[in-house]
Amino acid sequence: MDESVDPSATPGSWERRSRSVGFGIFVLALGVLAGAGARSANSHEDAAWPQGKQEVVPLTAAQRDVQVQDMQAMLRAMQGVMNAANDMDVPKITDVARAAGMAGAPSSEALTPLPKDYRAKLMETHAAFDAMADAVRGFTARDSVLSHLSDISHRCVMCHAAYKFGAAQ
């Protein structure tokens, strides 16, 4: 009973059906995984946006310059982290994120004129850079960086929606 199978033979109906079912399960599994990832990535969209007008943060020109420089430094850090993640340069990701963390936060004197809630949000954002630096590891670096950058950029968007700088009186 030596039944040799010709590999070039046309598959039977059972084989075709099995392959179709297997392929369908594979596509379904990919869809479920992609959907779960999309829900996770869009979780910030569910957060309530600030309602009404932006709160005016009264600052002198010098105080405003300090705050703008800090925001620009965080944006440069985000770009630096993305570039390093693209190159899979984990030490660079860590260094750039750490520099934008609490080590890069404005001095307490620069924070004094700011409203308490604004100060808290600012310091939480700097701490989020430190959390990214702590979390980035080897081959998972890109996924980790993307998750942390999503969190940080969400913090930026929410803060800009809630506050605006105005002239101190």
Side-chain angles (χ1 to χ4, degrees):
M1 284 193 122
D2 182 24
E3 292 183 24
S4 44
V5 177
D6 180 8
S8 64
T10 306
S13 65
W14 179 250
E15 290 175 280
R16 283 192 303 274
R17 207 172 303 145
S18 295
R19 286 180 187 169
S20 294
V21 168
F23 183 75
I25 291 171
F26 174 74
V27 170
L28 180 63
L30 284 177
V32 167
L33 290 173
R39 277 192 304 279
S40 173
N42 292 328
S43 63
H44 292 309
E45 291 178 10
D46 296 335
W49 286 89
Q51 299 296 315
K53 294 184 177 182
Q54 294 170 302
E55 180 181 336
V56 176
V57 179
L59 298 173
T60 65
Q63 292 167 335
R64 181 185 175 284
D65 288 346
V66 169
Q67 295 307 308
V68 169
Q69 288 169 4
D70 184 43
M71 287 184 246
Q72 290 172 343
M74 286 191 278
L75 277 173
R76 283 191 301 273
M78 290 172 72
Q79 181 63 50
V81 165
M82 286 186 277
N83 290 342
N86 189 49
D87 296 337
M88 286 302 291
D89 187 345
V90 174
K92 176 95 176 188
I93 295 169
T94 303
D95 291 346
V96 172
R98 186 79 59 209
M102 296 305 284
S107 68
S108 58
E109 297 85 37
L111 296 175
T112 302
L114 302 173
K116 183 179 177 180
D117 288 345
Y118 180 92
R119 271 195 318 258
K121 289 179 187 341
L122 179 64
M123 298 314 286
E124 288 168 3
T125 303
H126 280 285
F129 277 101
D130 283 330
M132 179 179 3
D134 293 339
V136 173
R137 301 282 184 268
F139 68 92
T140 63
R142 284 188 183 147
D143 291 339
S144 181
V145 164
L146 184 58
S147 174
H148 284 275
L149 285 175
S150 174
D151 174 59
I152 291 168
S153 66
H154 178 256
R155 291 172 184 278
C156 295
V157 168
M158 293 300 287
C159 194
H160 281 269
Y163 300 99
K164 68 179 177 180
F165 295 146
Q169 306 216 16

